Amino acid sequence: MEGQEENDDIFHDIIMSEERSQSQGFNAGQMLGQKTGLEDGYRLGWEKGAGVASELGFYVGFCQKILQELKDSPAGKQRPTKAAQSLLKLVDEFPLTNPTHPQLFELVQQIRSKFKQLTSVLGINPSYNWSEPESKGVSF
């Protein structure tokens, strides 16, 4: 009877080898996929975060320059000044240290809208074509 059990075990190993190989391959593939996914996600997050930070930095520099220019100009420039100060306040309140903030994308859209409002009040076209430097405007 003992010989029969050994033969069953040998045949069992042969029959189950395909299933075992498939399971090992699946596990190896899943681990590789997780590693690759984490690397790709990290890289994408870094690129998107750097893009948003660059955009916000542009807005801050733009507003500071506009406020400096408006300070030296004659009176009657209250609307652009208020719009620039409002945009600076929005950027200042942006949660730079909390990438999981629930309204992060809505805040970015608010800032972009405020920038469009500022450029509209100033009469500036917010698009700039680098191939035609004689055209006026700014772009990001």
Side-chain angles (χ1 to χ4, degrees), residues 86-100:
S86 176
L87 178 56
L88 282 174
K89 183 179 178 194
L90 281 174
V91 172
D92 189 45
E93 294 172 351
F94 189 79
L96 293 174
T97 58
N98 184 7
T100 60

Side-chain angles (χ1 to χ4, degrees), residues 101-113:
H101 191 278
Q103 289 128 358
L104 192 69
F105 295 108
E106 292 152 4
L107 293 172
V108 170
Q109 287 297 9
Q110 272 184 322
I111 291 169
R112 288 176 180 155
S113 297

